[in-house]
Amino acid sequence: MSVPKSKLAVPMDAFRQSYPFTLADLPYSYDALEPSIDKKTLQLHHREHHATYVKKLNEALAKHGELHRMTLADLLRDPEKVPAEIRTAVKNNGGGHLNHDFFWSAMTPEPTPPQGALAEALAKNFGSVDEFRQKFSEVAVRHFASGWVALALDHATRKLEILDLKDHEVLKPGEKTGLLILDVWEHAYYLKYQNRRPEFIKGFWQVVNWAYANERLAAGVGSF
């Protein structure tokens, strides 16, 4: 499903969106992450795959006016509040919308090394930044089938952790703050890398938005 540019919304954290949900434009051009993430893959991924999750999420909620004021965070935080007949659709498509929105922000064409509190936290929790990258990459390579791998701050333990998320599973709103996320669904890399996921993961490290992760860490610490 192609989405005309005129229908793309101003970028907004998907967590705060409510019905009707919208597809935000990317914070960079489609060729900005070359050669790590190629233009054609990014176009298809954003304007076809991500757009479809938004469309199907809106379709699932269209006839349920009682849910229209709930944010995406509210819907995913407490699935039992969602009627059983649309619960799976909301979970899958809402999770797809949220994780993709997170993924686009987790990359940048102008990366800088991890600094400050983030660098300190990575060293404290994983030994060093390089050791974190190695452990995260290992989880991403081993992930079976479709899903995501995320770096998150756990609010209860105040520790950083690497989480392996199946399909469009999300980080639990209010319990964890995501700092980085990597899409390991095949549609994220197959045009350029085919079945060579390890090469895609290496490319991801070349465009990681460490400044964004640092901001997310500060926000997460401030939420206690």
Side-chain angles (χ1 to χ4, degrees):
M1 181 197 71
S2 297
V3 178
K5 191 173 182 61
S6 62
K7 292 187 178 180
L8 292 172
V10 174
M12 175 184 182
D13 186 346
F15 255 134
R16 297 181 285 119
Q17 287 186 2
S18 57
Y19 180 88
F21 296 91
T22 55
L23 177 70
D25 207 347
L26 296 182
Y28 36 76
S29 63
Y30 284 120
D31 61 356
L33 303 182
E34 293 268 11
S36 298
I37 310 293
D38 62 288
K39 179 180 178 180
K40 187 172 183 180
T41 294
L42 198 54
Q43 286 177 323
L44 288 170
H45 197 172
H46 176 242
R47 302 187 74 145
E48 302 293 337
H49 289 279
H50 188 177
T52 297
Y53 296 126
V54 175
K55 177 177 181 290
K56 290 185 177 179
L57 176 61
N58 284 329
E59 289 175 348
L61 292 168
K63 296 181 180 180
H64 293 270
E66 73 279 9
L67 304 178
H68 288 181
R69 292 187 178 182
M70 294 180 68
T71 64
L72 185 55
D74 293 332
L75 292 168
L76 297 177
R77 180 184 293 113
D78 190 0
E80 295 304 314
K81 291 183 178 180
V82 178
E85 64 269 23
I86 63 168
R87 191 172 299 154
T88 297
V90 170
K91 177 182 177 182
N92 290 342
N93 294 293
H97 179 30
L98 180 63
N99 285 347
H100 280 94
D101 184 76
F102 184 8
F103 182 48
W104 309 136
S105 295
M107 298 184 291
T108 177
E110 299 179 350
T112 56
Q115 300 174 356
L118 176 62
E120 294 174 7
L122 291 172
K124 179 179 179 180
N125 287 269
F126 301 103
S128 69
V129 173
D130 286 342
E131 287 181 83
F132 156 69
R133 285 177 51 172
Q134 180 179 345
K135 292 175 182 177
F136 188 102
S137 296
E138 290 172 352
V139 174
V141 169
R142 292 197 307 264
H143 181 93
F144 181 75
S146 302
W148 304 79
V149 178
L151 170 67
L153 171 69
D154 183 89
H155 292 191
T157 65
R158 303 196 182 195
K159 293 181 179 180
L160 300 187
E161 55 187 13
I162 297 170
L163 297 170
D164 197 4
L165 307 173
K166 182 178 180 181
D167 297 329
H168 284 318
E169 183 182 1
V170 300
L171 299 171
K172 190 71 172 179
E175 296 181 8
K176 300 179 189 295
T177 295
L179 311 185
L180 292 174
I181 196 166
L182 174 61
D183 188 344
V184 292
W185 287 64
E186 287 188 343
H187 64 241
Y189 60 88
Y190 214 80
L191 288 181
K192 179 177 177 66
Y193 296 99
Q194 287 83 53
N195 64 332
R196 304 188 302 276
R197 186 189 290 177
E199 292 184 24
F200 165 64
I201 296 168
K202 289 181 181 179
F204 170 71
W205 292 120
Q206 302 304 309
V207 294
V208 165
N209 193 344
W210 294 108
Y212 175 75
N214 210 357
E215 292 174 0
R216 298 282 296 172
L217 176 62
V221 170
S223 68
F224 292 119

